[in-house]
Amino acid sequence: MSSAPAAHGAAPAPKFAEHFASLEVQNHAARLGMWLFLSTEILLFAGLFVCYSCYRFLYPEAFAEASRHLNLTLGTVNTVVLITSSLTAALAVHYAKEGKNNLVALMVGLTLLMAVGFLVIKGFEYSHKFHEGTLPGKHYTYQGLQLPGAPMYFTIYFLSTGLHALHVTIGMGVLTWMGVRALTQKNFGPNNYTGVELASMYWHLVDLVWIFLFPMLYLV
Amino acid sequence: MTPSSSPTAEGVLPGHDDAGGHDGHHHHPNYLVDGTTVKSWLLTIDHKRIGLMFLASVLFFFLIGGVFALAVRVELLTPGPTVMDAMTYNRAFTLHGLIMIFLFMIPAIPAAFGNFMLPLMLGAKDVAFPRLNLASFYIYVTGALLMIWGMLNGGLDTGWTFYTPYSTHTTTTVAPVLFGAFVIGFSSIATGLNFIVTVHTMRAPGITWFKLPLFVWAIYATSCIQVLATPVIGLLTLLVVGENLFSFGLFDPARGGDPVLFQHLFWFYSHPAVYIMVLPAFGVMSEVVAAFSRKNIFGYRAVAYSSLGIAFVGFFAWGHHMFVSGQSTFDAGIFGVLTMLVGVFTAIKVFNWVGTVYKGAVDFRTPFAYFCGFLFFTVFGGMTGIAVGTVSLDMPWHDTYFVVAHFHFIMVGATLMAFLAAFHYWFPKMFGRMYHEGWGLVSAALIILGFNATFIPQFLLGNYGMPRRYYEYPARFQALNVASTAGATLLAFGFVIVAIYLTYALFYGRASGKNPWRSKGYEWLSESPPPTHNFVGPQPTFPEEPHYYVAPKKDEVKDV
Ligand code: HEM
Ligand SMILES: [Cu+2]
């Protein structure tokens, strides 16, 4: 009977699940869970970093050459955009703690806007590469750069930026959910901000991964 | 604990909170009958029911995996083709390996018994994230269905290790099967993450880290491995799928890729994964050996720490699978030494178990019979592990039946013994009924005997040079192959008996009472079977050490 998720009531905040000893414990659990989850995400990308290091070691010239075929300006703009969006995500948490729900929604909105900007710029970069033929593996047709190992570079480029873009999209979904909650329920406050905090932690991860990808792919 | 706070979350009924008892009636149905509709099971967020659903699923997959094991053994009865063609054979052993590893061994103890026992052992009402727990089950089911669908539609012939470049070129269906493995990885991560957070945040007052039952320590260490290693294989399976579908070239030498890199990434997960399978087994055995020797575990801290030690060094030993991959002698030496460290930590545990039995008042029951089998398989399998961890010895043994026998001894032997011991030890806890002790002992004997008869010939076969994964073999290997198949038949027979008397006990077994073994484990403090929120009335306290057995000496016989 009690195991079925029934009996939704308009529960007043702060609420916590019955199996936890207190609200603090529940928040602690949520944060710890998120940290663990984020470490698995980092490890997921770490596998790609390992691939990158190996092949950079095997094909140093091709990798150096190929990285110069990326658009450094667009990459830099994107980096700035993403770092700024991390700031607004952090501000959202700040306002959530103070119970300023409208400002939370605003900050989430700004973050989402920058996320869209990031993806659009990424889209331009991608379409340029599709056009040129600098594609992964056997789909590589670009004549301007014909070193062994160059297709491998673009394999890793597309896999890592693609996986990152997927994370951006998921992060946008989570943030949207928080923004909507801030607008409709207006109940974030000193006792109830874990949701925004977790969403913003996730967004920082997305940002952090890009901070690694950018120098790895565009600079070195 | 803040008794003043009134829980308001969904699914909470008045009277089930700590304060308890103000709902007027004292009706606390046990978790088995608290809701009997199909929906109340399928949508449950009770860790005990989820544990049982996992148990049912892993048993089902164990059956399928077992049928394919027998198919493989039957094919190997004669030197030439026996009952199937070569391609079918390749698919059969791949299916067997994949199902046994990903769908049975990895989830078996943690997801089934861990789910059920962990919160009870912590004095908690549930795991930290009950919904994630249920999600984990359905993710597992989804992954399993994907895998099976792929196996039925084309089938995979790469073996469970799906080594590149073969797996990126084979015409069989790589994509759904590997994608299934990827999905199952999420389930594994979710379960591990949930358990780690549960151990950190849900311990009842009084349960300090060094009062955790050893099973909890083992599950905790296992969860750390699950969380840290699984993402890597998750990525790897995706890469192989990508390779296979789009020819990315990452692991394809024809495109400048490096297949050995695949092996590094694969074993970076899969070596620790063998400890995902065996550490929970070690944990079960620590509980069982204390309970049936009626003695506090010898060297509690050493056993607890060695679990963490194994989890840690397990991450640095993967290269011992690649001694013949063209690795430098220096690397091979390092990996060899790191491999030995695993042996050291395992030996610590073995000595402590033996020390626990020593001068104990042994109550030789079915779980203890499995403990004896377990001890033998662990020591024997571990020693052969040391042997194959030695570079010069592994060169000739690599990819022969010797390795097959080694990993079956340690992985299947030890884990299976623990799984069966756990099943028998906790059966009364979970269902409140007793099984027939005589049949328990008979089938334990059959299973242990059958297991030895199956795999000892394989050690010999490997030593004589029979390679693994071949469909035909020279006639001189036949006698040993026949012996191995006979052993497998005996083993299967043993399982059939277990299935029969346990099913019978489930419905007609006599009531077990709360704690039939007079065990001191925390999980027995609650009713058998436990009520929905695990403990009735005020939260229990845990003043004693977890394995506080007092061997019936002189004036100390108070605990009866
Ligand atoms: C404790 C539980 C253990 C489990 C579950 C386990 C499992 C396995 C598995 C599954 C394989 C074969 C993988 C394959 O190629 O398909 C294997 C191979 C190997 N194991 Fe273990 N093992 C365990 C303990 C040990 C120990 C303690 C050592 C050494 C101290 C060891 C050393 C090795 C080595 C060196 C190989 C590779 C042999 C070769 O491929 O030539 N193992 N083990
Ligand atoms: Cu290994």
Side-chain angles (χ1 to χ4, degrees), chain B residues 152-166:
Chain B
L152 293 178
N153 290 280
L156 192 64
D157 64 346
T158 60
W160 77 277
T161 51
F162 31 82
Y163 269 16
T164 56
Y166 183 68

Side-chain angles (χ1 to χ4, degrees), chain B residues 483-509:
Chain B
S484 182
T485 305
T489 315
L490 200 62
L491 189 58
F493 191 55
F495 285 122
V496 171
I497 300 183
V498 177
I500 293 174
Y501 72 79
L502 283 189
T503 312
Y504 180 83
L506 196 58
F507 297 104
Y508 308 107

